[in-house]
Amino acid sequence: KAGVTQTPRYLIKTRGQQVTLSCSPISGHRSVSWYQQTPGQGLQFLFEYFSETQRNKGNFPGRFSGRQFSNSRSEMNVSTLELGDSALYLCASSFMGIEQPQHFGDGTRLSIL
Amino acid sequence: DQQVKQNSPSLSVQEGRISILNCDYTNSMFDYFLWYKKYPAEGPTFLISISSIKDKNEDGRFTVFLNKSAKHLSLHIVPSQPGDSAVYFCAASPKTSYDKVIFGPGTSLSVIP
C-alpha cells in the first residue's frame, strides 16, 4: 500500500511569492491534515480536510489556505511568502480523521530567501 | 500557550540503558495520547499510544505511562538502541475533536553506542 506522498520535496522561493504544495493520501483515506514544523515549535496544526471540506483550522493567517479534491488529494497554498514561512510542511492522512494514528508524508522543505 | 510540553529538547543515553522521555499537558479534555518518532528527512511515524482509561501501554521495548492527576506521560525505551536516535513527539487529542491532534515540540534522543 503506497504511503502518503508529498510533492515537491524541496522548494526555494523569495519573499512575496506564492507557493502550492501537494499531498496524495493513502488510498482510501478521506482525511488530510497539514502541519508546519519549525525548530523548537514542533508540529503546528494548519488545517484538516475531509470529503473536500475544511473541517478544522489552526491559528495561522489567511495567507495559508488549502483545498481537497474529490480523489482526496489535497493542496496547500501560501501567498505573499514571508521569511518566517521557511519550514517543513507535513501532510498526514487517516481514514475518517477521528481514528488514530495519522500517517505522515515525508514533507516539503520550503525555504524563503 | 503550549498545551503539550516536552521540556527536554534533547537527551543522550548509552546503548542498552533505559531512555525516558517526558511529556506534560495542560488541557484536561485530552483523552488520547500518542508518541511519534521522526528521523531527519522523513515524516513522523507512529510509535505507541494510550487512552486516558489506561495508565500503561506496552509494545515491545516501548512502554508509555500516563499519570492523569499530574497531567504527565512518559515513554520508556528499554533497552535503548542506536537506531532509536530520532526526535520523539508527544501528541494529544481532545475528547471532542480527535481529528485535531496537538503536538509537543519534540525531544531529540541520541543513543550512544
Side-chain angles (χ1 to χ4, degrees):
Chain A
K1 197 176 196 183
V4 178
T5 304
Q6 290 188 248
T7 57
R9 288 297 310 276
Y10 302 93
L11 207 47
I12 299 174
K13 292 285 188 179
T14 57
R15 281 183 300 174
Q17 287 187 309
Q18 73 160 16
V19 67
T20 299
L21 312 181
S22 180
C23 172
S24 293
I26 289 173
S27 179
H29 284 189
R30 296 165 64 188
S31 168
V32 174
S33 297
W34 288 90
Y35 295 86
Q36 181 194 65
Q37 186 194 358
T38 53
Q41 291 294 315
L43 278 70
Q44 304 289 310
F45 174 75
L46 281 152
F47 30 66
E48 186 246 356
Y49 284 86
F50 182 81
S51 291
E52 302 178 64
T53 301
Q54 187 181 89
R55 198 162 60 169
N56 284 292
K57 190 177 190 307
N59 296 321
F60 278 81
R63 300 186 297 106
F64 291 81
S65 63
R67 59 178 176 169
Q68 187 180 34
F69 302 94
S70 58
N71 61 359
S72 293
R73 189 177 72 85
S74 178
E75 287 181 347
M76 188 189 87
N77 184 275
V78 188
S79 62
T80 320
L81 286 164
E82 301 176 359
L83 291 177
D85 297 334
S86 294
L88 179 67
Y89 290 89
L90 291 160
C91 163
S93 77
S94 63
F95 180 58
M96 292 291 288
I98 57 174
E99 85 288 5
Q100 300 290 347
Q102 297 170 294
H103 300 266
F104 283 85
D106 290 338
T108 294
R109 172 71 65 183
L110 175 63
S111 298
I112 312 300
L113 303 179
Chain B
D1 182 36
Q2 279 187 341
Q3 297 186 62
V4 178
K5 303 175 185 180
Q6 293 177 257
N7 292 321
S8 297
S10 61
L11 177 68
S12 287
V13 172
Q14 286 288 120
E15 181 179 3
R17 304 293 292 269
I18 183 171
S19 295
I20 300 177
L21 294 95
N22 294 303
C23 177
D24 297 288
Y25 61 96
T26 58
N27 191 337
S28 57
M29 294 299 290
F30 286 146
D31 182 60
Y32 191 70
F33 305 89
L34 310 96
W35 285 93
Y36 284 84
K37 179 167 79 170
K38 184 181 184 301
Y39 293 117
E42 294 183 12
T45 55
F46 170 73
L47 197 56
I48 192 170
S49 64
I50 188 167
S51 165
S52 62
I53 62 173
K54 300 176 75 172
D55 54 20
K56 177 183 174 181
N57 189 26
E58 200 170 349
D59 183 3
R61 297 185 297 114
F62 302 91
T63 303
V64 56
F65 295 92
L66 175 62
N67 182 333
K68 290 184 287 293
S69 61
K71 295 190 178 66
H72 176 83
L73 64 156
S74 60
L75 174 68
H76 292 210
I77 306 174
V78 184
S80 300
Q81 300 173 353
D84 297 329
S85 297
V87 177
Y88 289 78
F89 291 100
C90 171
S93 286
K95 285 189 178 84
T96 56
S97 181
Y98 284 101
D99 45 356
K100 186 176 177 180
V101 178
I102 311 295
F103 283 81
T107 295
S108 177
L109 173 66
S110 295
V111 180
I112 303 162

